[in-house]
Amino acid sequence: MPRRSLRLLGYTAATTGIASYGIHRGLCYLEEKYPELPPAAGSKALREPRRPDTQHCAYTNIYAAKIPIKALEARVPSSKTPTKTELEYAWARAVLGSKTLRAEGSIAGLLTSFRFTSGDTGNSEEGFSPDKTTGAPRTLLNGILQVQRLPAADADSNGLIVSSELPPESREFFEKIARWGYPWRLMSCVRHEMSVSEPFKINGQGTFVEVRFASAHDYEVVDAEGALEKQKVIPDWTLRLHRGFARFVLDSIVRELQRDVGK
């Protein structure tokens, strides 16, 4: 192999190694800061797939952070003491209006309508309610997410739930090669729940709430793969990246809220 090619290969390997190590260290930091909560920390609706007749929810990932309640109260458009439902709406708007998710929505807007705008983040007068004309569920971030359940919608309600359907062509491709022996499959749908706890006091520090950001992955049930716990899912390293991204979203939003209230 020519010396120039060897040098290029060495540079590429070194760059890849450094980037991989940096990502690993970043994930370790977030995993230590935001340990995973048990599935019971989310609502029953989060643990149930969107289409229970053909899908199963393979796992849920729930992360939480404690923040001063005034950080959320500052996002409630009311001079009165906000209710828990109003805090849940404020938290959902904070998540969907964060820099990270707005960037995703802007990229989607650029690809779909050639406009670099984040789209609806729930801040309009209609909020997250269904379309007044058609009754269809509201779509957010230029169609990336669709509202599945509103805060305080029922007794089980634990904040806003939104969902994102993956392109069926991608899912079906992985299902096809999985039948040929490929060890993994792609999910059909990703759902997120954004919830807020009841306020609580910490001695000498004031009143706080626990804000949570949860993810759930729905997969098609393939009878040939047997029991649900044996059904194929995405590989562990990809799942770790998904979990790391959820933790990163939570961390960045908490930092934004605390920075705003500290101004």
Side-chain angles (χ1 to χ4, degrees):
M1 183 179 291
R3 183 176 300 177
R4 183 177 180 181
S5 297
L6 286 172
R7 188 182 299 115
L8 179 61
L9 182 61
Y11 289 153
T12 302
T15 302
T16 302
I18 292 171
S20 299
Y21 179 74
I23 292 172
H24 169 69
R25 292 304 305 162
L27 290 173
C28 287
Y29 166 78
L30 291 170
E31 287 162 356
E32 182 178 355
K33 188 174 183 180
Y34 302 107
E36 191 159 325
L37 299 180
S43 67
K44 182 180 178 182
L46 181 69
R47 302 190 295 273
E48 294 182 345
R50 288 205 66 186
R51 294 191 292 276
D53 53 333
T54 61
Q55 297 175 343
H56 73 109
C57 179
Y59 43 79
T60 60
N61 306 123
I62 307 171
Y63 310 106
K66 295 181 180 65
I67 63 171
I69 191 172
K70 62 182 180 180
L72 269 188
E73 289 178 335
R75 300 289 185 102
V76 177
S78 172
S79 58
K80 300 179 181 178
T81 301
T83 64
K84 183 174 182 293
T85 300
E86 288 175 321
L87 292 177
E88 287 177 342
Y89 271 96
W91 172 238
R93 289 193 298 267
V95 173
L96 295 165
S98 66
K99 293 178 180 178
T100 303
L101 295 191
R102 285 206 318 271
E104 282 195 16
S106 297
I107 293 172
L110 188 63
L111 295 175
T112 57
S113 61
F114 305 104
R115 296 178 59 193
F116 195 71
T117 57
S118 59
D120 192 351
T121 60
N123 274 313
S124 65
E125 185 178 344
E126 293 79 14
F128 303 114
S129 301
D131 187 278
K132 290 183 178 180
T133 304
T134 65
R138 185 165 299 277
T139 58
L140 306 166
L141 299 174
N142 287 313
I144 292 179
L145 298 173
Q146 183 182 86
V147 175
Q148 180 180 332
R149 187 199 64 196
L150 295 171
D154 51 52
D156 177 58
S157 182
N158 199 20
L160 181 75
I161 291 184
V162 294
S163 61
S164 178
E165 296 279 348
L166 274 69
E169 296 82 7
S170 300
R171 172 183 59 79
E172 290 167 359
F173 169 77
F174 281 98
E175 287 178 358
K176 183 176 182 179
I177 62 176
R179 289 196 295 270
W180 297 343
Y182 189 69
W184 303 292
R185 281 198 287 122
L186 195 63
M187 72 284 291
S188 302
C189 178
V190 179
R191 293 176 292 116
H192 298 294
E193 182 175 68
M194 292 147 263
S195 59
V196 181
S197 73
E198 294 288 348
F200 57 91
K201 292 185 180 296
I202 297 180
N203 289 338
Q205 299 184 47
T207 304
F208 286 71
V209 289
E210 184 177 79
V211 291
R212 295 176 181 174
F213 182 67
S215 300
H217 288 178
D218 298 340
Y219 289 81
E220 298 301 311
V221 175
V222 177
D223 294 335
E225 293 179 6
L228 293 182
E229 60 270 16
K230 295 182 179 180
Q231 299 266 310
K232 294 178 180 180
V233 295
I234 57 177
D236 288 343
W237 68 269
T238 309
L239 180 55
R240 190 186 183 204
L241 290 177
H242 272 274
R243 290 168 172 165
F245 180 72
R247 288 179 166 107
F248 173 76
V249 169
L250 175 63
D251 187 65
S252 61
I253 299 162
V254 167
R255 289 175 184 273
E256 286 181 27
L257 288 171
Q258 292 176 333
R259 185 167 53 248
D260 289 347
V261 80
K263 290 180 180 179

